[in-house]
Amino acid sequence: MLHLLSGDKPRSVVLTIILLVILISLAFAPFLFPGVRSLETAARICIFIVLVASYDLLLGYSGIVSFAHTMFFGLGAYGVALSSIHMGRGYDALIVGTVLGAIAAAALAWLIALFSLRVRAIFFAMITLAVASAVAVLVSQLSGLTGGEDGLNYKIPRDLTPANRLGEFLGVKVNGKTLNYYLVFFGSAALFLLLLRVVNSPFGRVLQAIRENDFRAEAVGYRVVWYRTVATCLSAATAALAGSLFAIWLRYVGPDTTLSFEIMLDILLMVVIGGMGTMYGAILGATLFVLAQNYLQTLMGAASEATHSLPLVPHLLDPDRWLLWLGVLFVLSVYFFPTGIVGRLRNGR
Amino acid sequence: MSEPLLTLSGVYTDIDQYHILQGVDLTVPRGAVTMLLGRNGVGKTTTLRTIIGHWKAKAGSIMYDGQDIVAMATPARARAGIGFVPEDMGIFADLTVEENMILAAVSGAPDPARLDWLFGVFPPLKTFWNSQAGTLSGGQKQMLSIARAMIEDRKLYLIDEPTKGLAPAIVSTMAGALRDLKEQGATILLVEQNFAVAKALGDHVAVMEDGKIIWTGDMATLSTDAALQERLMGLSMEAAQ
């Protein structure tokens, strides 16, 4: 097990328990939480764990701020969509789209890194912001190819759709959607473990050294720009792979679901809340955030009803104010967990 | 006499609008300890940082082991065998002691015999092998900083004020480690404000003033001439001990 985690133990009993609960919940989600909405939430958590972990490789381990992560995520998603449309329904289309999406993301990341990582980090952040905005506009404008603002609907192999009925297991109807979920789950798990391996490798140690002090790393003999460029490409390719999983799961891609700046901000928040430079923070951050996004409104509706006899409180807990409370929750979590939840659990401070 | 390992000729270095080095001429012979002395702010640290490449020389040449390295990038200089110990305990605080050491062994896994020697010289490194470097005390951090440079046999060691701000017991450990390194025939360019350490270790001396080398000679000459010390550095080595 430790080998699977690349020797990177959670280093906290509470954290270990939380991670195990999340792992078991996600692994058995179709049976523990049957229903379309809960399965949708579980799949989204799996995909966002990979997306956030790949961003953590960049921000937490390499100290590079990028605003183009959703662009790479979108490249993977659009890769699957376009290949499925042009090659027709089939696994070959999924594979080709996934591989081409990841290659395109890595190539674009390499180009951006080459032009901007030699100078100050803030310049890289600005370039990524500009390129991501340009790509979002292009996707919106090239409606003939990308479907514009409406996005693209496409077909995936029938085995992975609800039409493929496989009977019942533990009282739950198993169909192609369940298989699709497990494709997402195992794909995400493999990508997360791969990222964990990367950050715990000698390459990952050099990245951490560079993050701490790039001159010192250079004085030891490491070419900072080369390491940062490789980290950027790896992070982009992984984000694209997460995007491909998302596209296979949703059977739809559009600018709002994959390319929006709102998702970029969500990723940033998930990394910070979970704990930068920890990888496990991605699991906690993504789980908490996606759960809050999906269930806070429902929870507030119930709380508002339960407190209807009190003055003011039901108004404060009105489901329409869920975004306000989400904001308050995040301000509080950043205040109380400045090193993220994982940092707090590991250090006890 | 063999060719010096390092020769700086007419090196000028600017940091922003400040002209720090103003024509440094310095020779570092092989297999000896050259002390770079001088008052605060005369350009000693900038000289070391110019040699490793942190600051780019605006003019002049830096001949290292037979080649001019002025245009060479810092990582290439390090891989060419220059070990650098900065004055601010240049460790990686987020990594463990072990990771710091492994990271510094750029040409492969650390040599176990050399590691054993370092554990003998700096016992706390073995004790705190798996601890985060940031949790070490100031003296232990400095030990790690020097041990990182020593983890591989470098052609040249640039060491900037290794005993600065350390307790006397740690200063003596540092001096012992540097003496060991010297006895192995290492070439060291050392900036040191502790005159007792400088006197005990130094073979040659270069004294800086206003971004230039104003005097070079043997430590034996400087250490026995109080008037010369007073003239060059504004105080005598004996009085400063």
Side-chain angles (χ1 to χ4, degrees):
Chain A
M1 184 65 180
L2 204 57
H3 181 70
L4 205 62
L5 298 177
S6 306
D8 192 347
K9 290 183 273 189
R11 284 184 276 142
S12 152
V13 177
V14 179
L15 178 60
T16 308
I17 293 168
I18 294 172
L19 290 173
L20 279 174
V21 168
I22 294 173
L23 175 69
I24 292 166
S25 303
L26 291 176
F28 299 103
F31 308 102
L32 290 173
F33 316 104
V36 176
R37 191 181 177 195
S38 52
L39 200 60
E40 204 68 42
T41 306
R44 195 173 276 264
I45 289 173
C46 290
I47 290 159
F48 270 82
I49 285 174
V50 177
L51 187 60
V52 174
S54 64
Y55 193 66
D56 195 25
L57 169 68
L58 209 58
L59 181 69
Y61 285 86
S62 315
I64 301 169
V65 180
S66 163
F67 292 110
H69 215 58
T70 44
M71 176 184 76
F72 300 126
F73 183 61
L75 277 176
Y78 273 92
V80 165
L82 290 171
S83 63
S84 295
I85 288 168
H86 295 289
M87 292 172 68
R89 170 189 271 190
Y91 288 106
D92 54 345
L94 298 188
I95 294 168
V96 168
T98 301
V99 171
L100 288 183
I103 291 173
L108 191 54
W110 183 75
L111 266 179
I112 296 173
L114 211 65
F115 282 111
S116 51
L117 275 180
R118 285 179 189 280
V119 286
R120 287 170 193 275
I122 187 70
F123 190 64
F124 179 81
M126 299 319 291
I127 288 278
T128 55
L129 188 60
V131 174
S133 304
V135 168
V137 171
L138 263 181
V139 168
S140 171
Q141 297 293 312
L142 296 173
S143 51
L145 180 71
T146 62
E149 289 296 322
D150 294 335
L152 297 168
N153 284 295
Y154 45 90
K155 288 179 176 167
I156 61 169
R158 193 176 170 279
D159 303 345
L160 300 174
T161 64
N164 177 25
R165 294 171 192 211
L166 299 162
E168 267 193 32
F169 184 69
L170 297 173
V172 177
K173 283 179 186 165
V174 178
N175 58 33
K177 193 78 177 166
T178 319
L179 288 184
N180 198 341
Y181 174 77
Y182 278 106
L183 173 73
V184 168
F185 174 78
F186 285 111
S188 302
L191 286 171
F192 181 81
L193 292 175
L194 180 80
L195 286 171
L196 206 55
R197 176 59 56 94
V198 169
V199 298
N200 287 292
S201 68
F203 173 79
R205 299 287 175 241
V206 177
L207 287 183
Q208 285 170 270
I210 291 171
R211 176 197 62 193
E212 204 176 322
N213 190 318
D214 53 356
F215 167 66
R216 279 180 206 159
E218 282 202 325
V220 173
Y222 295 102
R223 288 155 58 204
V224 167
V225 174
W226 187 86
Y227 277 90
R228 279 184 173 157
T229 303
V230 174
T232 307
C233 293
L234 260 175
S235 166
T238 316
L241 292 174
S244 298
L245 286 175
F246 199 42
I248 294 168
W249 173 254
L250 279 185
R251 291 179 286 164
Y252 162 80
V253 294
D256 287 345
T257 52
T258 55
L259 291 169
S260 74
F261 195 69
E262 205 175 302
I263 301 175
M264 187 64 244
L265 289 179
D266 290 349
I267 297 169
L268 255 171
L269 278 171
M270 290 182 216
V271 172
V272 173
I273 289 164
M276 281 193 287
T278 61
M279 277 295 149
Y280 293 116
I283 299 179
L284 266 65
T287 306
L288 272 178
F289 199 98
V290 175
L291 281 177
Q293 269 183 331
N294 282 277
Y295 293 106
L296 189 61
Q297 211 170 359
T298 315
L299 203 68
M300 284 178 62
S304 178
E305 285 220 349
T307 55
H308 73 279
S309 54
L310 300 172
L312 193 67
V313 179
H315 297 289
L316 283 173
L317 295 174
D318 191 297
D320 287 346
R321 299 191 213 285
W322 76 280
L323 265 177
L324 168 78
W325 285 105
L326 193 65
V328 170
L329 272 179
F330 293 130
V331 169
L332 290 177
S333 65
V334 171
Y335 181 79
F336 287 109
F337 308 121
T339 53
I341 299 170
V342 171
R344 171 78 188 230
L345 290 174
R346 279 181 168 172
N347 301 329
R349 63 186 150 86
Chain B
M1 193 177 161
S2 66
E3 185 192 327
L5 180 62
L6 180 77
T7 307
L8 277 72
S9 308
V11 171
Y12 286 78
T13 301
D14 292 353
I15 300 176
D16 299 327
Q17 72 270 38
Y18 302 105
H19 309 300
I20 309 295
L21 300 190
Q22 301 180 38
V24 170
D25 296 305
L26 173 69
T27 300
V28 178
R30 291 173 195 268
V33 177
T34 303
M35 305 299 306
L36 192 55
L37 304 179
R39 295 181 181 90
N40 284 334
V42 295
K44 302 185 296 293
T45 294
T46 305
T47 302
L48 295 195
R49 286 179 177 252
T50 302
I51 297 167
I52 192 66
H54 185 191
W55 301 119
K56 300 294 173 206
K58 189 177 70 172
S61 74
I62 304 173
M63 295 300 293
Y64 166 72
D65 205 19
Q67 63 170 328
D68 192 345
I69 59 169
V70 161
M72 206 184 255
T74 299
R77 297 186 198 199
R79 285 180 183 269
I82 303 179
F84 177 57
V85 180
E87 66 179 324
D88 56 353
M89 299 173 192
I91 57 159
F92 298 112
D94 291 342
L95 303 182
T96 64
V97 172
E98 179 187 12
E99 287 164 348
N100 265 276
M101 295 293 277
I102 290 173
L103 207 69
V106 284
S107 57
D111 173 23
R114 201 163 173 92
L115 209 52
D116 275 347
W117 165 59
L118 286 171
F119 285 152
V121 178
F122 301 122
L125 296 187
K126 192 171 186 179
T127 313
F128 298 106
W129 188 239
N130 292 312
S131 305
Q132 226 178 5
T135 62
L136 300 178
S137 69
Q140 289 161 350
K141 282 179 185 164
Q142 190 62 286
M143 287 179 198
L144 176 59
S145 179
I146 292 184
R148 264 190 4 187
M150 291 180 177
I151 187 78
E152 286 187 335
D153 194 13
R154 322 275 182 198
K155 284 183 188 163
L156 172 66
Y157 295 85
L158 306 174
I159 305 175
D160 197 358
E161 301 205 35
T163 64
K164 187 176 162 188
L166 300 181
I170 314 266
V171 170
S172 136
T173 306
M174 289 295 162
L178 294 173
R179 201 178 308 112
D180 268 17
L181 194 63
K182 178 183 174 178
E183 281 166 10
Q184 290 173 17
T187 306
I188 303 171
L189 178 58
L190 181 61
V191 172
E192 181 55 71
Q193 298 278 20
N194 183 321
F195 288 134
V197 175
K199 193 171 145 186
L201 290 171
D203 297 308
H204 308 288
V205 180
V207 180
M208 287 191 82
E209 184 69 57
D210 292 336
K212 285 181 193 157
I213 303 290
I214 54 163
W215 187 86
T216 55
D218 293 335
M219 179 55 89
T221 309
L222 183 68
S223 63
T224 51
D225 189 338
L228 183 65
Q229 293 161 23
E230 188 73 36
R231 181 167 65 81
L232 294 174
M233 295 177 289
L235 74 173
S236 91
M237 293 171 95
E238 294 301 327
Q241 280 173 40

